Structure formats: structure tokens, C-alpha cells
Amino acid sequence: MTAYIDKIGQFEGQEVTLRGWLHKRRSSGKIHFLTVRDGTGFIQVVMSKAAVGEETFHRADHLGQETSLIVEGTVRADPRAPGGYEIDVDTLNVVGESRDYPITPKEHGVDYLLDRRHLWIRSPRQQAILRIRHVVVDAVRDFLNSRSFTLADTPIFTPAACEGTTTLFPVQYFDNETAYLAQSGQLYNEANIMALGRVYCFGPTFRAEKSKTRRHLTEFWMVEPEMAFATLNDAIELGEALVVAIIARVLETRRQELETLERDTTSLERVQAPFPRITYDEAVETLKAKGQPFKWGSDFGGTDETVLAEQFDQPFAVHRFPSALKAFYMKPDPDRPELSLSVDILAPEGYGEIIGGGERLDDLDELLARIKKHGLSQKTFEWYLDLRRYGTVPHSGFGMGIERVLTWICGLEHLREAIPYPRTLNRLYP
RNA sequence: UCCUCAGUAGCUCAAUUGGCAGAGCAUUCGGCUGUUAACCGAAGGGUUGUAGGUUCGAGUCCUACCUGAGGAGCCA
């Protein structure tokens, strides 16, 4: 009977076949302790010379870390085992040898590990992160699907900048025209809601910023919901509910992984809607009161975000940023046109911005003026302008960075651990 | 692009004021029937990132370059 470690308790007292990899080996003269992992968990396999005989026992003398193997043995409950069970082995077969595995139980540097990311993901900590990532993605999709959102994927090759400010990756392939890798599905989402009402796109996003910080990747995953007939407030409420749903699902199903990561979950337990909300103006006042040198009209730096986050013990929303700070499609506040109907949701504990969005400009003439003012080509945006010509409606949405959310949930030091194969300024391998 | 820091054994690091280049882990060999970062004993393992310079003598000081990290700007 083939068994998997996460469900091994069902087989107590029974003979099972376990297929996996040798994680670690400890040995005495007449007993081997093999920690085996099979992709679902870790378990200690005990091999005594008396039970298996001289030949099998000596075959296990030199098993290297990460040797793939098939063991047959009896499941036994043991209070000494971290998972509650051990396996007393009868037979052991090596599937693939492994000599001089480069990632040892000792600590390694970041660059060394990233060069071996294809192996690093085998370690317990990285497995835990990737499992939680899966649950986050799953929770996002379930949440949006259950609220009548339709997944409508947006293109990766795009003809121009969605947001003029950031840098794009050019691709030379299409005749007479440079294509760029998408940095947002935003504009296409706006077309899609006019067909489907509520939509989201969920895929990789590319930013050619020369960012060298623990908060940036050049390729990252973003979910972007967009709603027709929706205000800034609707977008904030959706964002809150989404974050709450993700945290609840992770706490519900991935306790063990959070423990592996030694994540103190008390701050996650506190997360509930509604989040504290402050205006940009209030945020500036707070920063000044806390002695930060900050001028109205500039964007928050990393330190500013941390100082603001210290005021709250859960995620919080900052809304109504100056229009000059935000993309051309952001709708101005009717009461104060110098402000935009925009929102950022920031994670607590200094993890920074996880959501950015707002209400979109739905008036044709105003949008035309913005495009001119930003020096963008009207021709490129004709299709986007059509959305204002044929039955425009107020609409809102946001983007949420999956790795940023995961970094916060897992309490990671670096964003690059939150994605299987991180792409940063200087990294394209493996 | 700018600022700061780092680069020594396969890995993580040490090396006092410029004076014999070392430890732990990993590997190999030996020992051990309850280990779980196992332990005990032994062995092998080095062009100190690269190229110059100062000096009787450079891992250490100087110059340039390479690579990486953290941060700024920008953003999710």
C-alpha cells in the first residue's frame, strides 16, 4: 500500500510503501535514522541492523542527502516523533543516488541559495512558503469567483505603457512595432467589465525598474479585480474582504507551515474588516507629527510606510492621494480635484503596500485631456477611449501583489522567497 | 543611475598593530541501538574575487575593475 506522509496516521500498524527522498541521516553502529520526505511531509524512518539484516543495513551506510528511495515498513505511533509517527523499515531500494548535495544543514548565503533555487525549494522552509502561496492563490480565486467575478485574462504583449511612469520590457518581434511585457492588466480589465460586469485577471506582471530592494521583483504575480458601477469605497471594501478571506484560509489550512516558518500568528489573527482608513492628508500630518521630514505632494518612502504602519495593528488603507502621484486614468475627487479617488492598502509590521487601486476616470473629455497632458499617444488609446464613448459607467478596481501578501503572511525577510523562481535586477538563473 | 557594505577551504565564517591561513559543517575512514542541527576520534581539502601598486614582508594598506548584498528613487 503506497502511503503519503501527510496521511500516514491512517496506516498505523500497517505495512506501507513510502516513496521519496532522503532529507537527513543519523547513524549509530546498529541503527540508522533516516528522515524521509515525499512532497507531503517529513517522517523518520528507523532501520535497525537486527531487523533488516547486515546487507540492507550497510546499503544505508552511505546514502547521501536527497537520495531518492522507496522504503517498505510498518507505521508506528511514537511520542518522540515530531509528526507523531515513525516507520520501522523492512526493505529499502535506492531509486537515484545523490552525492555531495550542495545545500547542507548548515547555513548558506543568499546568492549561493538563489543560484541553487531549483534545489533550495526542497528544504522544509521553502516548501512551507510554496504551499502557503498555493493556498493564497486558491483563496483569491475562490473569493472572487464566489462574488460573481469572471476570470478574463489580459495580454502579456501590449502595445504601450499602461502607466507612463514605470519602465517596460521591450520585445522586438512584431512588424513595425515594439511590444512591451504587461505591467498591468488594468486597461483591458476596464474593457472586460463593460462586457462581464465584474472581472479579474491573474497573471505575471513585468516591471523593468532598477529596483534593488527586498520589496521588488522584475517579474511578479498580481491579481486585479475590476467592477462596473463601483466607487472608490466599493474597491476598498472589496480589498478588505479579500485580504480577510486570504488570511482566514491560510490560518485554517496552513498552521503547520506557519509553524515551520516560526511565524507568530497573533498579528494575523487580528485581521478583520473594516481596516482603519486614513486620507493622504491625515497620513502626511501623522508623519510630520512623528518627526518625519515629509512634504505634501510626495509619495511615501519605505520609512514613511513603516512609521504609518506603527499606528495600526492590522492592515490599513490610505486614500485620496494627490493626482500627480497616480496614473493618468485615476478619477479626480469631485470635492478636491487636486486629489484622486485612489487607495493603497498597506500591510502591518512594516511589510508595506500590498494593494493599489481606485476609481477610474469615466469621462471621455477629461480622459482625453489627461492623455495629452501625459504626452501619451491618443492613437494607441483609441480602444480605451471607446469605453467612454459607448456606455461609460463609474468603475473601480485594484491590483494586489501576491508575493507582497505572501511575504507579509509568512513573515519573510525578502520578497524573492515568495516565488518559486525569482527574477530580480541581476538574476535570470535558474 | 546614486550611496553604503561585502568577497578567505565545497558551505558559513575567523585571522589582534602589516609578521607561520584556522575553526565548524559537508566529504572520506573508524566508533556508537533512540538520534532528530546527533555525538566521539582521525584524514583529505587554499592562486585569500581579478589586475596592478606600496613594503624586507600584504588576507590585512593604496588604485582600478568584476560580482553580490542592503538602501535611495520607483512601485505591487
Side-chain angles (χ1 to χ4, degrees), chain A residues 24 26-27 29 33 44 62 86 99 108-109 112 207 210-212 214 216-217 353-354 404 414 416:
Chain A
K24 214 174 285 180
R26 290 170 298 278
S27 183
F33 298 102
Q44 178 159 279
H62 297 283
E86 291 187 344
R99 315 292 302 171
H108 300 282
Y112 181 87
R207 305 269 167 102
K210 299 289 184 195
S211 298
K212 289 187 64 173
R214 64 184 72 184
H216 291 86
L217 295 169
E353 186 180 343
I354 52 175
R404 290 250 178 112
H414 305 276
R416 59 190 164 218

Coordinates of all heavy atoms in Angstrom, one line a residue, chain A residues 24 26-27 29 33 44 62 86 99 108-109 112 207 210-212 214 216-217 353-354 404 414 416, chain B residues 1 11-12 24-25 27-29 32-38 68-76:
Chain A
K24 N 17.7 13.6 5.6 CA 18.8 13.7 6.6 C 19.1 12.3 7.1 O 18.2 11.4 7.1 CB 18.4 14.6 7.7 CG 19.6 15.3 8.4 CD 19.1 16.3 9.4 CE 18.4 17.5 8.8 NZ 17.9 18.5 9.8
R26 N 21.1 10.1 10.3 CA 21.9 9.9 11.5 C 22.1 8.5 11.7 O 21.2 7.6 11.4 CB 21.2 10.5 12.7 CG 21.1 12.0 12.7 CD 20.2 12.6 13.8 NE 18.8 12.1 13.6 CZ 17.9 12.6 12.8 NH1 18.3 13.6 12.0 NH2 16.7 12.1 12.6
S27 N 23.2 8.1 12.3 CA 23.6 6.7 12.3 C 24.3 6.3 13.6 O 25.2 7.1 14.0 CB 24.4 6.4 11.1 OG 24.7 5.0 11.0
G29 N 26.1 2.5 15.2 CA 26.7 1.2 14.7 C 25.6 0.2 14.3 O 25.8 -0.5 13.3
F33 N 18.9 6.3 11.5 CA 17.7 7.1 11.5 C 17.7 7.9 10.2 O 18.5 8.7 9.9 CB 17.7 8.1 12.7 CG 17.6 7.4 14.0 CD1 18.8 7.3 14.7 CD2 16.5 6.9 14.5 CE1 18.8 6.6 16.0 CE2 16.4 6.2 15.7 CZ 17.6 6.1 16.4
Q44 N 10.4 10.2 10.1 CA 11.7 9.5 10.4 C 11.5 8.0 10.2 O 10.5 7.4 10.7 CB 12.1 9.7 11.9 CG 13.3 8.9 12.3 CD 14.1 9.5 13.4 OE1 14.8 10.5 13.3 NE2 13.8 9.0 14.6
H62 N 25.9 4.7 3.4 CA 26.4 5.9 2.7 C 25.4 6.6 1.8 O 25.8 7.2 0.8 CB 27.6 5.4 1.8 CG 28.7 4.8 2.6 ND1 29.6 5.6 3.2 CD2 29.1 3.5 2.9 CE1 30.5 4.9 3.9 NE2 30.2 3.6 3.7
E86 N 6.4 7.1 13.2 CA 7.7 6.7 12.6 C 7.4 5.5 11.7 O 6.3 4.9 11.8 CB 8.7 6.4 13.6 CG 9.2 7.6 14.4 CD 10.4 7.2 15.3 OE1 10.6 6.0 15.6 OE2 11.1 8.2 15.8
R99 N 25.1 12.4 -4.5 CA 26.4 12.6 -3.8 C 26.6 14.0 -3.7 O 26.4 14.8 -4.6 CB 27.5 11.9 -4.6 CG 27.3 10.5 -5.2 CD 27.1 9.5 -4.1 NE 28.3 9.4 -3.3 CZ 28.4 8.6 -2.2 NH1 27.3 8.0 -1.8 NH2 29.5 8.6 -1.5
H108 N 23.6 28.9 4.6 CA 24.2 29.3 3.4 C 23.8 30.8 3.1 O 22.8 31.3 3.6 CB 23.7 28.5 2.2 CG 24.0 27.0 2.4 ND1 25.2 26.5 2.1 CD2 23.2 26.0 2.8 CE1 25.2 25.2 2.4 NE2 24.0 24.9 2.8
G109 N 24.6 31.4 2.2 CA 24.3 32.8 1.8 C 23.2 32.9 0.8 O 22.9 31.9 0.1
Y112 N 24.3 32.1 -2.9 CA 24.5 30.7 -3.1 C 23.2 29.9 -3.2 O 23.1 29.1 -4.1 CB 25.3 30.2 -1.9 CG 25.7 28.7 -1.9 CD1 26.8 28.3 -2.5 CD2 24.9 27.8 -1.3 CE1 27.2 27.0 -2.6 CE2 25.2 26.4 -1.3 CZ 26.4 26.0 -2.0 OH 26.7 24.7 -2.0
R207 N 8.1 44.5 -14.5 CA 8.5 45.9 -14.3 C 10.0 46.0 -14.4 O 10.7 45.3 -13.7 CB 8.1 46.3 -12.9 CG 6.6 46.2 -12.5 CD 5.8 47.4 -12.9 NE 4.4 47.2 -12.8 CZ 3.6 47.5 -11.8 NH1 4.1 48.1 -10.8 NH2 2.3 47.2 -11.8
K210 N 14.8 49.7 -12.0 CA 16.1 49.3 -11.5 C 16.1 49.2 -9.9 O 16.9 49.8 -9.2 CB 17.2 50.3 -11.9 CG 17.3 50.4 -13.4 CD 18.0 49.2 -14.0 CE 18.2 49.3 -15.5 NZ 18.5 48.0 -16.2
S211 N 15.1 48.5 -9.4 CA 14.9 48.4 -8.0 C 15.8 47.3 -7.4 O 15.7 46.2 -7.8 CB 13.4 48.1 -7.7 OG 12.6 49.1 -8.2
K212 N 16.5 47.7 -6.4 CA 17.3 46.7 -5.7 C 16.9 46.7 -4.2 O 17.6 47.2 -3.3 CB 18.8 47.1 -5.8 CG 19.4 46.9 -7.1 CD 20.9 47.1 -7.1 CE 21.5 46.0 -6.2 NZ 23.0 46.1 -6.3
R214 N 14.4 44.6 -1.0 CA 13.7 43.3 -0.7 C 12.2 43.3 -1.0 O 11.5 42.4 -0.7 CB 14.0 43.1 0.8 CG 13.3 44.1 1.7 CD 13.6 43.9 3.2 NE 15.0 44.2 3.5 CZ 15.6 44.0 4.7 NH1 14.9 43.4 5.6 NH2 16.8 44.4 4.9
H216 N 11.0 44.2 -4.1 CA 10.8 44.3 -5.6 C 11.3 43.0 -6.3 O 12.3 42.5 -6.0 CB 11.5 45.5 -6.1 CG 10.9 46.8 -5.7 ND1 11.3 47.4 -4.6 CD2 10.0 47.6 -6.3 CE1 10.6 48.5 -4.4 NE2 9.8 48.6 -5.5
L217 N 10.5 42.7 -7.3 CA 10.9 41.6 -8.3 C 10.6 42.2 -9.7 O 9.8 43.1 -9.8 CB 10.0 40.4 -8.1 CG 10.1 39.6 -6.8 CD1 9.0 38.6 -6.8 CD2 11.5 38.9 -6.8
E353 N 3.1 48.3 1.0 CA 1.9 48.3 0.2 C 1.7 46.9 -0.4 O 2.5 46.3 -1.0 CB 2.2 49.3 -0.9 CG 1.0 49.5 -1.8 CD 1.2 50.5 -2.9 OE1 2.2 51.3 -2.8 OE2 0.5 50.6 -3.9
I354 N 0.4 46.4 -0.3 CA 0.0 45.2 -0.9 C -1.1 45.4 -1.9 O -1.2 44.6 -2.8 CB -0.5 44.1 0.2 CG1 -1.5 44.7 1.1 CG2 0.7 43.6 1.0 CD1 -2.1 43.7 2.1
R404 N 4.0 40.1 -2.3 CA 4.0 41.0 -1.2 C 3.1 40.5 -0.1 O 3.4 40.6 1.1 CB 3.4 42.4 -1.6 CG 4.4 43.2 -2.5 CD 5.0 44.4 -1.8 NE 6.0 45.0 -2.7 CZ 5.8 46.2 -3.2 NH1 4.7 46.9 -2.9 NH2 6.7 46.8 -3.9
H414 N 12.7 38.6 2.7 CA 12.8 39.0 1.3 C 11.7 38.5 0.4 O 11.3 37.4 0.5 CB 14.1 38.4 0.7 CG 15.3 38.8 1.5 ND1 16.0 39.9 1.3 CD2 16.0 38.1 2.5 CE1 17.0 40.0 2.2 NE2 17.0 38.8 2.9
R416 N 11.9 37.7 -2.5 CA 12.3 36.7 -3.5 C 12.1 35.2 -3.0 O 12.1 34.3 -3.9 CB 13.8 36.9 -3.9 CG 14.6 36.8 -2.7 CD 16.1 37.2 -3.0 NE 16.7 37.4 -1.7 CZ 17.6 38.4 -1.4 NH1 17.9 39.2 -2.4 NH2 18.1 38.5 -0.2
Chain B
rU1 P 24.3 51.9 -14.7 OP1 23.1 51.6 -15.6 OP2 25.6 52.1 -15.2 O5' 23.9 53.2 -13.9 C5' 24.0 54.5 -14.5 C4' 23.4 55.6 -13.6 O4' 22.0 55.3 -13.3 C3' 24.0 55.6 -12.2 O3' 25.2 56.3 -12.1 C2' 22.9 56.2 -11.3 O2' 22.9 57.6 -11.5 C1' 21.7 55.7 -12.0 N1 21.1 54.5 -11.3 C2 20.5 54.7 -10.1 O2 20.3 55.8 -9.6 N3 20.0 53.6 -9.5 C4 20.1 52.3 -9.9 O4 19.6 51.4 -9.3 C5 20.8 52.1 -11.2 C6 21.3 53.2 -11.8
rC11 P 31.9 27.5 -1.9 OP1 31.3 28.4 -2.8 OP2 33.2 27.8 -1.4 O5' 30.9 27.3 -0.6 C5' 29.5 27.1 -0.9 C4' 28.8 26.9 0.5 O4' 29.4 25.7 1.1 C3' 29.0 28.0 1.5 O3' 28.1 29.0 1.3 C2' 28.8 27.3 2.8 O2' 27.4 27.1 3.0 C1' 29.4 25.9 2.5 N1 30.9 25.8 2.9 C2 31.2 25.7 4.3 O2 30.2 25.7 5.1 N3 32.4 25.6 4.7 C4 33.4 25.6 3.8 N4 34.7 25.5 4.2 C5 33.2 25.7 2.4 C6 31.9 25.8 2.0
rU12 P 28.5 30.5 1.6 OP1 27.3 31.4 1.2 OP2 29.8 30.8 1.2 O5' 28.5 30.5 3.2 C5' 27.3 30.4 4.0 C4' 27.6 30.4 5.5 O4' 28.4 29.2 5.8 C3' 28.5 31.5 5.9 O3' 27.7 32.7 6.1 C2' 29.0 31.0 7.2 O2' 28.1 31.1 8.3 C1' 29.3 29.5 6.9 N1 30.7 29.2 6.4 C2 31.6 29.0 7.4 O2 31.3 29.0 8.6 N3 32.9 28.7 7.0 C4 33.3 28.7 5.6 O4 34.4 28.4 5.4 C5 32.2 29.0 4.7 C6 31.0 29.2 5.1
rG24 P 36.9 21.9 14.3 OP1 36.9 21.1 15.5 OP2 37.5 21.5 13.0 O5' 35.4 22.4 13.9 C5' 34.5 22.7 15.0 C4' 33.2 23.2 14.4 O4' 33.4 24.4 13.6 C3' 32.5 22.2 13.4 O3' 31.7 21.2 14.0 C2' 31.7 23.2 12.6 O2' 30.5 23.6 13.3 C1' 32.6 24.4 12.5 N9 33.4 24.4 11.3 C8 34.7 23.9 11.2 N7 35.2 24.0 9.9 C5 34.1 24.5 9.2 C6 34.1 24.8 7.8 O6 34.9 24.6 6.9 N1 32.8 25.3 7.5 C2 31.8 25.5 8.3 N2 30.6 26.0 7.8 N3 31.8 25.2 9.6 C4 33.0 24.7 10.0
rC25 P 31.5 19.8 13.3 OP1 30.7 19.0 14.2 OP2 32.9 19.3 12.9 O5' 30.7 20.1 12.0 C5' 29.3 20.5 12.1 C4' 28.8 20.9 10.8 O4' 29.6 22.0 10.3 C3' 28.8 19.9 9.6 O3' 27.8 19.0 9.7 C2' 28.8 20.8 8.4 O2' 27.5 21.3 8.2 C1' 29.6 22.0 8.9 N1 31.0 21.8 8.4 C2 31.3 22.2 7.1 O2 30.4 22.5 6.3 N3 32.6 22.0 6.6 C4 33.6 21.6 7.5 N4 34.8 21.4 7.0 C5 33.3 21.3 8.8 C6 32.0 21.4 9.3
rU27 P 28.2 14.4 4.4 OP1 27.1 13.7 3.8 OP2 28.5 14.2 5.8 O5' 29.5 14.2 3.6 C5' 29.5 14.3 2.2 C4' 30.9 14.1 1.6 O4' 31.8 15.2 2.1 C3' 31.6 12.8 2.1 O3' 31.2 11.7 1.3 C2' 33.1 13.2 1.9 O2' 33.5 13.1 0.6 C1' 33.1 14.7 2.3 N1 33.5 14.9 3.8 C2 34.8 14.8 4.1 O2 35.7 14.6 3.3 N3 35.1 15.0 5.4 C4 34.1 15.3 6.4 O4 34.5 15.4 7.6 C5 32.8 15.3 6.0 C6 32.5 15.1 4.7
rU28 P 31.0 10.3 2.1 OP1 30.4 9.4 1.1 OP2 30.4 10.5 3.4 O5' 32.5 9.8 2.3 C5' 33.4 9.5 1.2 C4' 34.8 9.2 1.8 O4' 35.4 10.4 2.3 C3' 34.8 8.2 2.9 O3' 34.7 6.8 2.5 C2' 36.2 8.5 3.5 O2' 37.2 8.0 2.8 C1' 36.2 10.0 3.4 N1 35.7 10.7 4.6 C2 36.6 10.9 5.7 O2 37.7 10.5 5.6 N3 36.0 11.5 6.8 C4 34.7 12.0 6.9 O4 34.4 12.5 8.0 C5 33.9 11.7 5.8 C6 34.4 11.1 4.7
rC29 P 34.0 5.7 3.4 OP1 34.0 4.5 2.6 OP2 32.8 6.3 4.0 O5' 35.1 5.6 4.6 C5' 36.4 4.9 4.3 C4' 37.2 5.0 5.5 O4' 37.6 6.3 5.9 C3' 36.6 4.4 6.8 O3' 36.6 3.0 6.8 C2' 37.5 5.0 7.9 O2' 38.8 4.3 7.9 C1' 37.7 6.4 7.3 N1 36.8 7.3 7.9 C2 37.1 7.9 9.1 O2 38.1 7.6 9.7 N3 36.2 8.7 9.7 C4 35.1 9.1 9.1 N4 34.2 9.9 9.7 C5 34.7 8.5 7.8 C6 35.6 7.7 7.2
rC32 P 31.1 -0.2 17.4 OP1 31.2 -1.5 18.1 OP2 30.8 -0.2 16.0 O5' 30.0 0.7 18.1 C5' 30.0 0.8 19.5 C4' 29.1 2.0 19.9 O4' 29.5 3.2 19.3 C3' 27.6 1.8 19.4 O3' 26.8 1.0 20.3 C2' 27.2 3.3 19.5 O2' 26.9 3.7 20.8 C1' 28.4 4.0 19.0 N1 28.4 4.2 17.5 C2 27.8 5.4 17.0 O2 27.2 6.1 17.8 N3 27.7 5.6 15.7 C4 28.3 4.7 14.9 N4 28.2 5.0 13.6 C5 29.0 3.6 15.3 C6 29.0 3.4 16.7
rU33 P 25.7 0.0 19.6 OP1 25.8 -1.3 20.4 OP2 25.9 0.0 18.2 O5' 24.4 0.7 20.0 C5' 24.0 2.0 19.4 C4' 22.5 2.2 19.4 O4' 21.9 1.2 18.6 C3' 21.9 2.1 20.8 O3' 20.9 3.0 20.9 C2' 21.3 0.6 20.8 O2' 20.2 0.5 21.7 C1' 20.9 0.6 19.4 N1 20.7 -0.8 18.9 C2 19.4 -1.2 18.5 O2 18.5 -0.4 18.6 N3 19.3 -2.5 18.1 C4 20.3 -3.4 18.0 O4 20.0 -4.5 17.6 C5 21.6 -2.9 18.4 C6 21.7 -1.7 18.8
rG34 P 20.7 3.8 22.3 OP1 21.9 4.4 22.8 OP2 19.9 3.0 23.3 O5' 19.7 5.0 21.8 C5' 20.2 5.8 20.8 C4' 19.1 6.8 20.5 O4' 18.1 6.2 19.6 C3' 18.4 7.3 21.8 O3' 18.0 8.6 21.6 C2' 17.1 6.4 21.8 O2' 16.0 7.0 22.4 C1' 16.8 6.4 20.3 N9 16.0 5.2 19.8 C8 16.1 3.9 20.1 N7 15.2 3.2 19.6 C5 14.4 4.1 18.9 C6 13.2 3.9 18.2 O6 12.6 2.8 17.9 N1 12.7 5.1 17.7 C2 13.2 6.3 17.9 N2 12.6 7.3 17.4 N3 14.3 6.5 18.6 C4 14.8 5.4 19.1
rU35 P 18.7 9.9 22.3 OP1 19.9 9.4 23.0 OP2 17.7 10.7 22.9 O5' 19.2 10.7 21.0 C5' 20.5 10.5 20.5 C4' 20.5 10.6 19.0 O4' 19.7 9.6 18.4 C3' 19.9 11.9 18.5 O3' 20.7 13.0 18.5 C2' 19.5 11.5 17.1 O2' 20.6 11.6 16.2 C1' 19.1 10.1 17.2 N1 17.6 9.9 17.3 C2 16.9 10.0 16.2 O2 17.4 10.2 15.1 N3 15.5 9.9 16.3 C4 14.9 9.6 17.4 O4 13.6 9.5 17.4 C5 15.7 9.5 18.6 C6 17.0 9.7 18.5
rU36 P 20.2 14.4 18.9 OP1 21.3 15.4 18.8 OP2 19.5 14.3 20.2 O5' 19.1 14.8 17.8 C5' 19.6 15.1 16.5 C4' 18.4 15.2 15.6 O4' 17.6 14.0 15.7 C3' 17.4 16.3 16.0 O3' 17.8 17.5 15.4 C2' 16.1 15.8 15.4 O2' 15.9 16.2 14.0 C1' 16.2 14.3 15.5 N1 15.4 13.7 16.6 C2 14.1 13.3 16.3 O2 13.6 13.5 15.2 N3 13.5 12.8 17.3 C4 13.9 12.6 18.6 O4 13.2 12.1 19.4 C5 15.3 13.0 18.8 C6 16.0 13.6 17.8
rA37 P 17.5 18.9 16.0 OP1 18.1 19.0 17.3 OP2 16.1 19.1 15.8 O5' 18.3 19.9 15.0 C5' 18.2 19.7 13.6 C4' 19.6 19.7 12.9 O4' 20.1 21.0 13.0 C3' 20.6 18.8 13.6 O3' 21.5 18.3 12.6 C2' 21.4 19.7 14.5 O2' 22.7 19.3 14.7 C1' 21.4 21.0 13.6 N9 21.6 22.2 14.4 C8 21.0 22.6 15.5 N7 21.3 23.8 16.0 C5 22.3 24.2 15.0 C6 23.0 25.3 14.9 N6 23.0 26.3 15.8 N1 23.9 25.4 13.8 C2 23.9 24.4 13.0 N3 23.2 23.3 13.0 C4 22.4 23.2 14.0
rA38 P 21.4 16.8 12.3 OP1 22.5 16.4 11.4 OP2 20.0 16.4 11.9 O5' 21.7 16.1 13.7 C5' 23.0 15.9 14.1 C4' 23.0 15.5 15.6 O4' 22.5 14.2 15.7 C3' 24.4 15.4 16.2 O3' 24.9 16.7 16.5 C2' 24.1 14.6 17.5 O2' 23.4 15.3 18.4 C1' 23.1 13.5 16.9 N9 23.7 12.3 16.4 C8 24.0 11.9 15.1 N7 24.6 10.8 15.0 C5 24.8 10.4 16.4 C6 25.3 9.3 16.9 N6 25.9 8.3 16.3 N1 25.3 9.2 18.3 C2 24.8 10.2 19.0 N3 24.2 11.3 18.6 C4 24.2 11.4 17.2
rG68 P 25.9 40.2 -10.1 OP1 24.9 39.4 -10.7 OP2 26.1 41.6 -10.4 O5' 25.7 40.1 -8.5 C5' 25.5 38.9 -7.9 C4' 25.7 39.0 -6.4 O4' 27.0 39.5 -6.1 C3' 24.7 39.9 -5.6 O3' 23.5 39.3 -5.4 C2' 25.5 40.1 -4.3 O2' 25.4 39.0 -3.5 C1' 26.9 40.2 -4.8 N9 27.3 41.6 -5.0 C8 27.5 42.3 -6.2 N7 27.8 43.5 -6.1 C5 27.9 43.7 -4.7 C6 28.2 44.9 -3.9 O6 28.5 46.0 -4.3 N1 28.2 44.6 -2.5 C2 27.8 43.4 -2.0 N2 27.8 43.3 -0.7 N3 27.5 42.3 -2.7 C4 27.6 42.5 -4.0
rA69 P 22.2 40.2 -5.2 OP1 21.0 39.4 -5.3 OP2 22.3 41.4 -6.1 O5' 22.4 40.8 -3.7 C5' 22.3 39.9 -2.7 C4' 22.7 40.6 -1.4 O4' 24.0 41.2 -1.5 C3' 21.8 41.8 -1.0 O3' 20.6 41.3 -0.4 C2' 22.7 42.6 -0.1 O2' 22.7 42.0 1.2 C1' 24.0 42.4 -0.8 N9 24.3 43.5 -1.7 C8 24.3 43.4 -3.1 N7 24.7 44.5 -3.7 C5 24.9 45.4 -2.6 C6 25.4 46.7 -2.6 N6 25.6 47.5 -3.7 N1 25.6 47.3 -1.4 C2 25.3 46.6 -0.3 N3 24.9 45.3 -0.2 C4 24.7 44.8 -1.4
rG70 P 19.2 42.1 -0.6 OP1 18.1 41.3 0.0 OP2 19.1 42.5 -2.1 O5' 19.4 43.4 0.2 C5' 19.4 43.4 1.6 C4' 19.8 44.7 2.2 O4' 21.1 45.0 1.7 C3' 19.0 45.9 1.8 O3' 17.8 46.0 2.6 C2' 19.9 47.0 2.1 O2' 20.0 47.3 3.4 C1' 21.3 46.4 1.6 N9 21.6 46.8 0.2 C8 21.5 46.0 -0.9 N7 21.8 46.6 -2.0 C5 22.3 47.8 -1.6 C6 22.8 49.0 -2.3 O6 23.0 49.0 -3.5 N1 23.0 50.0 -1.5 C2 22.9 50.0 -0.1 N2 23.2 51.2 0.5 N3 22.4 49.0 0.6 C4 22.1 48.0 -0.2
rG71 P 16.5 46.6 1.9 OP1 15.4 46.6 3.0 OP2 16.2 46.0 0.6 O5' 16.9 48.1 1.6 C5' 16.9 49.1 2.7 C4' 17.6 50.4 2.3 O4' 18.8 50.1 1.6 C3' 16.9 51.3 1.3 O3' 15.8 52.0 1.9 C2' 18.0 52.2 0.8 O2' 18.3 53.1 1.8 C1' 19.2 51.2 0.8 N9 19.4 50.7 -0.6 C8 19.2 49.5 -1.1 N7 19.5 49.4 -2.4 C5 20.0 50.7 -2.7 C6 20.5 51.2 -3.9 O6 20.6 50.6 -5.0 N1 20.9 52.5 -3.8 C2 20.8 53.2 -2.6 N2 21.2 54.5 -2.7 N3 20.3 52.8 -1.5 C4 20.0 51.5 -1.6
rA72 P 14.6 52.5 0.9 OP1 13.6 53.1 1.8 OP2 14.2 51.4 0.0 O5' 15.3 53.7 0.1 C5' 15.7 54.9 0.7 C4' 16.3 55.8 -0.3 O4' 17.4 55.2 -0.9 C3' 15.4 56.2 -1.5 O3' 14.5 57.2 -1.1 C2' 16.3 56.6 -2.5 O2' 16.8 57.9 -2.4 C1' 17.5 55.7 -2.3 N9 17.5 54.5 -3.2 C8 17.1 53.2 -2.9 N7 17.2 52.4 -3.9 C5 17.8 53.1 -4.9 C6 18.2 52.8 -6.2 N6 18.1 51.6 -6.7 N1 18.7 53.8 -6.9 C2 18.9 55.0 -6.4 N3 18.5 55.5 -5.2 C4 18.0 54.4 -4.4
rG73 P 12.9 57.1 -1.5 OP1 12.3 58.3 -0.9 OP2 12.4 55.8 -1.3 O5' 12.9 57.4 -3.1 C5' 13.2 58.6 -3.6 C4' 13.6 58.5 -5.1 O4' 14.7 57.6 -5.3 C3' 12.4 57.9 -6.0 O3' 11.5 58.9 -6.4 C2' 13.2 57.3 -7.1 O2' 13.5 58.2 -8.1 C1' 14.5 56.8 -6.4 N9 14.3 55.4 -6.0 C8 13.8 54.9 -4.8 N7 13.8 53.6 -4.8 C5 14.4 53.2 -6.0 C6 14.7 51.9 -6.5 O6 14.5 50.8 -5.9 N1 15.2 51.9 -7.7 C2 15.5 53.1 -8.4 N2 16.1 52.9 -9.6 N3 15.3 54.3 -8.0 C4 14.7 54.3 -6.7
rC74 P 9.9 58.7 -6.2 OP1 9.2 59.8 -6.8 OP2 9.7 58.3 -4.8 O5' 9.6 57.4 -7.1 C5' 9.6 57.4 -8.5 C4' 9.5 56.1 -9.1 O4' 10.5 55.2 -8.6 C3' 8.2 55.3 -8.7 O3' 7.1 55.7 -9.4 C2' 8.6 53.9 -8.9 O2' 8.5 53.5 -10.2 C1' 10.1 53.9 -8.5 N1 10.3 53.5 -7.1 C2 10.6 52.1 -6.8 O2 10.7 51.4 -7.8 N3 10.8 51.7 -5.5 C4 10.6 52.6 -4.5 N4 10.8 52.2 -3.3 C5 10.3 54.0 -4.8 C6 10.1 54.4 -6.0
rC75 P 5.6 55.6 -8.7 OP1 4.6 55.9 -9.8 OP2 5.6 56.4 -7.5 O5' 5.5 54.1 -8.3 C5' 4.6 53.2 -9.0 C4' 5.0 51.8 -8.9 O4' 6.3 51.7 -8.2 C3' 4.1 50.9 -8.0 O3' 3.0 50.4 -8.8 C2' 5.0 49.8 -7.6 O2' 5.2 48.9 -8.6 C1' 6.3 50.6 -7.4 N1 6.6 50.9 -6.0 C2 6.9 49.9 -5.0 O2 6.8 48.8 -5.4 N3 7.1 50.3 -3.8 C4 7.1 51.6 -3.4 N4 7.4 51.9 -2.1 C5 6.8 52.6 -4.4 C6 6.6 52.3 -5.6
rA76 P 1.5 50.1 -8.1 OP1 0.6 50.3 -9.2 OP2 1.4 51.0 -7.0 O5' 1.6 48.6 -7.6 C5' 0.3 47.9 -7.5 C4' 0.5 46.8 -6.6 O4' 1.5 45.9 -7.1 C3' 0.9 47.1 -5.1 O3' 0.3 46.3 -4.2 C2' 2.4 46.9 -5.1 O2' 2.9 46.5 -3.9 C1' 2.5 45.7 -6.1 N9 3.8 45.7 -6.8 C8 4.3 46.7 -7.6 N7 5.5 46.5 -8.1 C5 5.8 45.3 -7.6 C6 7.0 44.5 -7.7 N6 8.0 44.9 -8.4 N1 7.0 43.3 -7.0 C2 6.0 43.0 -6.2 N3 4.8 43.7 -6.0 C4 4.8 44.8 -6.7

